[in-house]
Amino acid sequence: MGGGASLDAGRPADVLAARPRGGGRPLRGAARLCGTACRWRRRGRRRPRPDHCRGRRALASRTHERAGSPHPAAGGLRVRPPGGHPVARGHQRGARAGPHLQRRRCRALHQRRAGCRPPPPSTRMTTTQESDQILQRRANLEELRKLGVPVYPHRFDPQAAAADLVQAHGDKGADVLEAAQITTRTAGRVLAIRGFGKANFLVLSDGRSRIQVYIREDSLSPRDFRIYKLLDFGDWIGVEGRLFRTKTNELTIWASQIEFLAKCLLPLPEKWHGLTDIETRYRQRYLDLIVNPDVRRVFEIRSRVVAAVREFLTRRGFLEVETPMMQSIPGGALARPFVTHHNALDIPLYMRVAPELYLKRLTVGGIERVFEINRNFRNEGMSAQHNPEFTMLEFYWAYADYLDLMGLTEELLGDVARQAAGAEVVPYGDHTVSLTPPFRRVSLREAVRAAASARLNRVVDPGELRSRDRAAGLASELDVAVTPAMGAGAVTMKLFEHLCEGDLVQPTFVYDFPTEVSPLSKQKADDPETVERFELYVAGFELANAFSELNDPAEQQRRFEEQLRQRAGGDDEAHAMDEDYVRALEYGMPPAAGEGIGIDRLIMLLTNSHSIRDVILFPLMRPK
RNA sequence: GACCGGGUAGCUCAGUGGUAGAGCAGCGCACUUUUAAUGCGCGGGCCGCGGGUUCGAUCCCCGCCCUGGUCACCA
């Protein structure tokens, strides 16, 4: 790496790669209520207290240390109080009872004076309130600067990542490495420092793998050894050196040069327990990624899943497209949209709840096989299975019907599981889920009928689900609440969710849904109350929703009008009228089948994750 | 929305109506193959926020905020 010679400026900045992510959700045709939003909370770092408030606290050595700048000459870099000795701990404790009271009084005084205004928002770079550890790290950074080390260099040129080294040389023995004299250059974050005076070890992480670095004073230039001495847990460095194995057989780089790459100014979570606080893991995902290696694996699988889906569909002639995510008429699902506003046009816009109607317009346009993988947004509640933005695959296949989709879905899921997770059979909680075809198939009404029969210990007649009154009677027998506005179909759906959904662990196609709850699906030729639609359940949740597409414009018009009636009746999740969509159907849409698959839920299944937040890098959190 | 649990040092967690604890991390010293290194010494806390009760609250009471879970709502 040749000292600073390898560092050179003027490289183009990294381009941020767009990456699909998002949540699962009841797919097309389901919805959830939203909770209240928009609360704010006063939050901020303490502002420095004026002198009249400091009281005896100001006399404590600790305050002294905090207020003063670190003393670099002391070797230890810690500033001692004027007497030269740290104040004994017991001393401080003794002094504490007073300040305690004083703090409270002080606060009250402040609030009176300031008219109870909350303190100003946090200013992150203040030093007076920061912990010793942060001051220490800053001091170490300044020391590096004084040595003339570029502390934020522009680039480094690693020959291999830690993961590459482990993969390439992980199986080579000590003698092989000794004979080969392999010199390498790598970079990463320092995740452990074990010093022995003259023999020292670092653990370097590239985010995937870790490799040990051996530091000896007599193998490094004085400058580089000084850099080592000033390293903190979490710093980024580059190293060059020879590969060998230690006495304990650990693959290690014997460092001949060190380059400092970036400072970690804040202390990291500890090495052993890591970061377990779930809230912090989601809010500060970067920390989670640094210290919890399994997190990286989840998102690597996520990336492979999306790539495998793309590859599978592309290989079968499906064209990937991108349709609007901001729509003037939100459609394609029964769900509440997020509303926004376009200033120049002065119109309301809605974040899409589904791409469905646009993709079907494309089939009208002659794109016979089309798909999209991207985010949907639903302004509804959040849960372990629901994030307000989530990623969905939708695809449409001309000339096919929902039975064809079942076959394709079996192939797709098996293929993706093999490629992304390495197997068709995956563990999920206490279960083992097999994605090997064929999947079980059961009609919705039969599933409900059987479950209700078992629950009630009597034979439930299929006809009971066809009549609104009898279905409602069954619901009340089973203690399932229904509303007067719900028809027989809606009641059946509700019964299904209560009686069956959670028990469907192995992949199961539940097919033939009531027309009432399926405004975009095609009816069965011999049964207008029923549509050719299925949902795929795995591990107790809905993974896919698919149907033969309704392409009769007159029938579509009638369905929209029925939805409008429901909307007028207070259902703000009912589907909006989309006249252009009906017009598109009037130009003629080929017979087609379409399907939506919740990518986040698929990732959950393949990574054995039980919260959607574990498969979304930055799940929505209430601002703190 | 209801109920249950959590919020204490940078992290992981104990704990108590009477001066706040441990392990790791940090600082100092020692140590030439460690790997949760070790040993000795040291520093670090608005005990989530605001009220109340009390001589005294981190602890008890009330309210609020954030959060995990269960249920409900929704479909």
Side-chain angles (χ1 to χ4, degrees), chain A residues 419-433:
Chain A
Q419 285 195 44
E424 281 176 355
V425 178
V426 295
Y428 194 79
D430 296 333
H431 300 100
T432 299
V433 172

mmCIF file with all atom_site columns, all heavy atoms in Angstrom, chain A residues 419-433:
data_model
loop_
_atom_site.group_PDB
_atom_site.id
_atom_site.type_symbol
_atom_site.label_atom_id
_atom_site.label_alt_id
_atom_site.label_comp_id
_atom_site.label_asym_id
_atom_site.label_entity_id
_atom_site.label_seq_id
_atom_site.pdbx_PDB_ins_code
_atom_site.Cartn_x
_atom_site.Cartn_y
_atom_site.Cartn_z
_atom_site.occupancy
_atom_site.B_iso_or_equiv
_atom_site.pdbx_formal_charge
_atom_site.auth_seq_id
_atom_site.auth_comp_id
_atom_site.auth_asym_id
_atom_site.auth_atom_id
_atom_site.pdbx_PDB_model_num
ATOM 1   N N   . GLN A 1 419 ? -32.295 -21.486 -4.693 1.00 0.00 ? 419 GLN A N   1
ATOM 2   C CA  . GLN A 1 419 ? -31.230 -20.546 -5.054 1.00 0.00 ? 419 GLN A CA  1
ATOM 3   C C   . GLN A 1 419 ? -30.861 -19.615 -3.908 1.00 0.00 ? 419 GLN A C   1
ATOM 4   O O   . GLN A 1 419 ? -29.698 -19.249 -3.743 1.00 0.00 ? 419 GLN A O   1
ATOM 5   C CB  . GLN A 1 419 ? -31.672 -19.708 -6.256 1.00 0.00 ? 419 GLN A CB  1
ATOM 6   C CG  . GLN A 1 419 ? -31.638 -20.471 -7.550 1.00 0.00 ? 419 GLN A CG  1
ATOM 7   C CD  . GLN A 1 419 ? -31.711 -19.528 -8.736 1.00 0.00 ? 419 GLN A CD  1
ATOM 8   O OE1 . GLN A 1 419 ? -31.045 -18.509 -8.759 1.00 0.00 ? 419 GLN A OE1 1
ATOM 9   N NE2 . GLN A 1 419 ? -32.545 -19.879 -9.687 1.00 0.00 ? 419 GLN A NE2 1
ATOM 10  N N   . ALA A 1 420 ? -31.859 -19.174 -3.157 1.00 0.00 ? 420 ALA A N   1
ATOM 11  C CA  . ALA A 1 420 ? -31.585 -18.140 -2.157 1.00 0.00 ? 420 ALA A CA  1
ATOM 12  C C   . ALA A 1 420 ? -31.274 -18.723 -0.794 1.00 0.00 ? 420 ALA A C   1
ATOM 13  O O   . ALA A 1 420 ? -30.431 -18.201 -0.068 1.00 0.00 ? 420 ALA A O   1
ATOM 14  C CB  . ALA A 1 420 ? -32.763 -17.178 -2.066 1.00 0.00 ? 420 ALA A CB  1
ATOM 15  N N   . ALA A 1 421 ? -31.966 -19.795 -0.437 1.00 0.00 ? 421 ALA A N   1
ATOM 16  C CA  . ALA A 1 421 ? -31.767 -20.361 0.900  1.00 0.00 ? 421 ALA A CA  1
ATOM 17  C C   . ALA A 1 421 ? -31.042 -21.690 0.846  1.00 0.00 ? 421 ALA A C   1
ATOM 18  O O   . ALA A 1 421 ? -30.682 -22.241 1.879  1.00 0.00 ? 421 ALA A O   1
ATOM 19  C CB  . ALA A 1 421 ? -33.122 -20.520 1.607  1.00 0.00 ? 421 ALA A CB  1
ATOM 20  N N   . GLY A 1 422 ? -30.872 -22.224 -0.338 1.00 0.00 ? 422 GLY A N   1
ATOM 21  C CA  . GLY A 1 422 ? -30.102 -23.451 -0.479 1.00 0.00 ? 422 GLY A CA  1
ATOM 22  C C   . GLY A 1 422 ? -30.908 -24.726 -0.354 1.00 0.00 ? 422 GLY A C   1
ATOM 23  O O   . GLY A 1 422 ? -30.361 -25.815 -0.477 1.00 0.00 ? 422 GLY A O   1
ATOM 24  N N   . ALA A 1 423 ? -32.215 -24.613 -0.088 1.00 0.00 ? 423 ALA A N   1
ATOM 25  C CA  . ALA A 1 423 ? -33.024 -25.823 0.069  1.00 0.00 ? 423 ALA A CA  1
ATOM 26  C C   . ALA A 1 423 ? -34.498 -25.498 -0.114 1.00 0.00 ? 423 ALA A C   1
ATOM 27  O O   . ALA A 1 423 ? -34.928 -24.374 0.124  1.00 0.00 ? 423 ALA A O   1
ATOM 28  C CB  . ALA A 1 423 ? -32.795 -26.440 1.441  1.00 0.00 ? 423 ALA A CB  1
ATOM 29  N N   . GLU A 1 424 ? -35.247 -26.521 -0.528 1.00 0.00 ? 424 GLU A N   1
ATOM 30  C CA  . GLU A 1 424 ? -36.700 -26.344 -0.645 1.00 0.00 ? 424 GLU A CA  1
ATOM 31  C C   . GLU A 1 424 ? -37.379 -26.531 0.702  1.00 0.00 ? 424 GLU A C   1
ATOM 32  O O   . GLU A 1 424 ? -38.524 -26.153 0.881  1.00 0.00 ? 424 GLU A O   1
ATOM 33  C CB  . GLU A 1 424 ? -37.280 -27.395 -1.611 1.00 0.00 ? 424 GLU A CB  1
ATOM 34  C CG  . GLU A 1 424 ? -37.078 -27.056 -3.067 1.00 0.00 ? 424 GLU A CG  1
ATOM 35  C CD  . GLU A 1 424 ? -37.589 -28.184 -3.961 1.00 0.00 ? 424 GLU A CD  1
ATOM 36  O OE1 . GLU A 1 424 ? -37.990 -29.239 -3.438 1.00 0.00 ? 424 GLU A OE1 1
ATOM 37  O OE2 . GLU A 1 424 ? -37.571 -27.973 -5.178 1.00 0.00 ? 424 GLU A OE2 1
ATOM 38  N N   . VAL A 1 425 ? -36.684 -27.166 1.606  1.00 0.00 ? 425 VAL A N   1
ATOM 39  C CA  . VAL A 1 425 ? -37.258 -27.420 2.923  1.00 0.00 ? 425 VAL A CA  1
ATOM 40  C C   . VAL A 1 425 ? -36.561 -26.506 3.916  1.00 0.00 ? 425 VAL A C   1
ATOM 41  O O   . VAL A 1 425 ? -35.331 -26.532 4.042  1.00 0.00 ? 425 VAL A O   1
ATOM 42  C CB  . VAL A 1 425 ? -37.053 -28.896 3.327  1.00 0.00 ? 425 VAL A CB  1
ATOM 43  C CG1 . VAL A 1 425 ? -37.608 -29.141 4.717  1.00 0.00 ? 425 VAL A CG1 1
ATOM 44  C CG2 . VAL A 1 425 ? -37.731 -29.797 2.309  1.00 0.00 ? 425 VAL A CG2 1
ATOM 45  N N   . VAL A 1 426 ? -37.333 -25.652 4.561  1.00 0.00 ? 426 VAL A N   1
ATOM 46  C CA  . VAL A 1 426 ? -36.717 -24.660 5.438  1.00 0.00 ? 426 VAL A CA  1
ATOM 47  C C   . VAL A 1 426 ? -37.349 -24.713 6.815  1.00 0.00 ? 426 VAL A C   1
ATOM 48  O O   . VAL A 1 426 ? -38.542 -25.000 6.956  1.00 0.00 ? 426 VAL A O   1
ATOM 49  C CB  . VAL A 1 426 ? -36.874 -23.224 4.861  1.00 0.00 ? 426 VAL A CB  1
ATOM 50  C CG1 . VAL A 1 426 ? -36.119 -23.094 3.559  1.00 0.00 ? 426 VAL A CG1 1
ATOM 51  C CG2 . VAL A 1 426 ? -38.331 -22.859 4.683  1.00 0.00 ? 426 VAL A CG2 1
ATOM 52  N N   . PRO A 1 427 ? -36.541 -24.448 7.855  1.00 0.00 ? 427 PRO A N   1
ATOM 53  C CA  . PRO A 1 427 ? -37.118 -24.382 9.193  1.00 0.00 ? 427 PRO A CA  1
ATOM 54  C C   . PRO A 1 427 ? -37.864 -23.077 9.373  1.00 0.00 ? 427 PRO A C   1
ATOM 55  O O   . PRO A 1 427 ? -37.433 -22.039 8.864  1.00 0.00 ? 427 PRO A O   1
ATOM 56  C CB  . PRO A 1 427 ? -35.880 -24.420 10.099 1.00 0.00 ? 427 PRO A CB  1
ATOM 57  C CG  . PRO A 1 427 ? -34.785 -23.838 9.266  1.00 0.00 ? 427 PRO A CG  1
ATOM 58  C CD  . PRO A 1 427 ? -35.094 -24.184 7.842  1.00 0.00 ? 427 PRO A CD  1
ATOM 59  N N   . TYR A 1 428 ? -39.003 -23.153 10.061 1.00 0.00 ? 428 TYR A N   1
ATOM 60  C CA  . TYR A 1 428 ? -39.682 -21.913 10.428 1.00 0.00 ? 428 TYR A CA  1
ATOM 61  C C   . TYR A 1 428 ? -40.254 -22.095 11.823 1.00 0.00 ? 428 TYR A C   1
ATOM 62  O O   . TYR A 1 428 ? -41.232 -22.823 12.017 1.00 0.00 ? 428 TYR A O   1
ATOM 63  C CB  . TYR A 1 428 ? -40.777 -21.538 9.422  1.00 0.00 ? 428 TYR A CB  1
ATOM 64  C CG  . TYR A 1 428 ? -41.230 -20.108 9.606  1.00 0.00 ? 428 TYR A CG  1
ATOM 65  C CD1 . TYR A 1 428 ? -40.467 -19.056 9.105  1.00 0.00 ? 428 TYR A CD1 1
ATOM 66  C CD2 . TYR A 1 428 ? -42.382 -19.802 10.339 1.00 0.00 ? 428 TYR A CD2 1
ATOM 67  C CE1 . TYR A 1 428 ? -40.843 -17.740 9.308  1.00 0.00 ? 428 TYR A CE1 1
ATOM 68  C CE2 . TYR A 1 428 ? -42.762 -18.486 10.539 1.00 0.00 ? 428 TYR A CE2 1
ATOM 69  C CZ  . TYR A 1 428 ? -41.992 -17.462 10.022 1.00 0.00 ? 428 TYR A CZ  1
ATOM 70  O OH  . TYR A 1 428 ? -42.360 -16.150 10.228 1.00 0.00 ? 428 TYR A OH  1
ATOM 71  N N   . GLY A 1 429 ? -39.646 -21.442 12.783 1.00 0.00 ? 429 GLY A N   1
ATOM 72  C CA  . GLY A 1 429 ? -40.053 -21.611 14.178 1.00 0.00 ? 429 GLY A CA  1
ATOM 73  C C   . GLY A 1 429 ? -39.944 -23.074 14.563 1.00 0.00 ? 429 GLY A C   1
ATOM 74  O O   . GLY A 1 429 ? -38.914 -23.705 14.347 1.00 0.00 ? 429 GLY A O   1
ATOM 75  N N   . ASP A 1 430 ? -41.032 -23.592 15.101 1.00 0.00 ? 430 ASP A N   1
ATOM 76  C CA  . ASP A 1 430 ? -41.029 -24.989 15.521 1.00 0.00 ? 430 ASP A CA  1
ATOM 77  C C   . ASP A 1 430 ? -41.304 -25.936 14.368 1.00 0.00 ? 430 ASP A C   1
ATOM 78  O O   . ASP A 1 430 ? -41.342 -27.150 14.564 1.00 0.00 ? 430 ASP A O   1
ATOM 79  C CB  . ASP A 1 430 ? -42.117 -25.204 16.594 1.00 0.00 ? 430 ASP A CB  1
ATOM 80  C CG  . ASP A 1 430 ? -41.817 -24.404 17.837 1.00 0.00 ? 430 ASP A CG  1
ATOM 81  O OD1 . ASP A 1 430 ? -40.625 -24.132 18.076 1.00 0.00 ? 430 ASP A OD1 1
ATOM 82  O OD2 . ASP A 1 430 ? -42.770 -24.047 18.559 1.00 0.00 ? 430 ASP A OD2 1
ATOM 83  N N   . HIS A 1 431 ? -41.551 -25.390 13.174 1.00 0.00 ? 431 HIS A N   1
ATOM 84  C CA  . HIS A 1 431 ? -41.965 -26.225 12.057 1.00 0.00 ? 431 HIS A CA  1
ATOM 85  C C   . HIS A 1 431 ? -40.862 -26.376 11.024 1.00 0.00 ? 431 HIS A C   1
ATOM 86  O O   . HIS A 1 431 ? -39.885 -25.637 11.018 1.00 0.00 ? 431 HIS A O   1
ATOM 87  C CB  . HIS A 1 431 ? -43.202 -25.620 11.378 1.00 0.00 ? 431 HIS A CB  1
ATOM 88  C CG  . HIS A 1 431 ? -44.370 -25.492 12.301 1.00 0.00 ? 431 HIS A CG  1
ATOM 89  N ND1 . HIS A 1 431 ? -44.716 -24.290 12.903 1.00 0.00 ? 431 HIS A ND1 1
ATOM 90  C CD2 . HIS A 1 431 ? -45.268 -26.404 12.736 1.00 0.00 ? 431 HIS A CD2 1
ATOM 91  C CE1 . HIS A 1 431 ? -45.783 -24.477 13.668 1.00 0.00 ? 431 HIS A CE1 1
ATOM 92  N NE2 . HIS A 1 431 ? -46.136 -25.754 13.581 1.00 0.00 ? 431 HIS A NE2 1
ATOM 93  N N   . THR A 1 432 ? -41.079 -27.329 10.150 1.00 0.00 ? 432 THR A N   1
ATOM 94  C CA  . THR A 1 432 ? -40.262 -27.439 8.954  1.00 0.00 ? 432 THR A CA  1
ATOM 95  C C   . THR A 1 432 ? -41.209 -27.284 7.780  1.00 0.00 ? 432 THR A C   1
ATOM 96  O O   . THR A 1 432 ? -42.185 -28.030 7.660  1.00 0.00 ? 432 THR A O   1
ATOM 97  C CB  . THR A 1 432 ? -39.573 -28.810 8.900  1.00 0.00 ? 432 THR A CB  1
ATOM 98  O OG1 . THR A 1 432 ? -38.739 -28.927 10.050 1.00 0.00 ? 432 THR A OG1 1
ATOM 99  C CG2 . THR A 1 432 ? -38.732 -28.927 7.650  1.00 0.00 ? 432 THR A CG2 1
ATOM 100 N N   . VAL A 1 433 ? -40.949 -26.295 6.955  1.00 0.00 ? 433 VAL A N   1
ATOM 101 C CA  . VAL A 1 433 ? -41.848 -26.005 5.843  1.00 0.00 ? 433 VAL A CA  1
ATOM 102 C C   . VAL A 1 433 ? -41.219 -26.550 4.563  1.00 0.00 ? 433 VAL A C   1
ATOM 103 O O   . VAL A 1 433 ? -40.059 -26.269 4.269  1.00 0.00 ? 433 VAL A O   1
ATOM 104 C CB  . VAL A 1 433 ? -42.089 -24.487 5.731  1.00 0.00 ? 433 VAL A CB  1
ATOM 105 C CG1 . VAL A 1 433 ? -42.863 -24.168 4.464  1.00 0.00 ? 433 VAL A CG1 1
ATOM 106 C CG2 . VAL A 1 433 ? -42.824 -23.981 6.965  1.00 0.00 ? 433 VAL A CG2 1
#
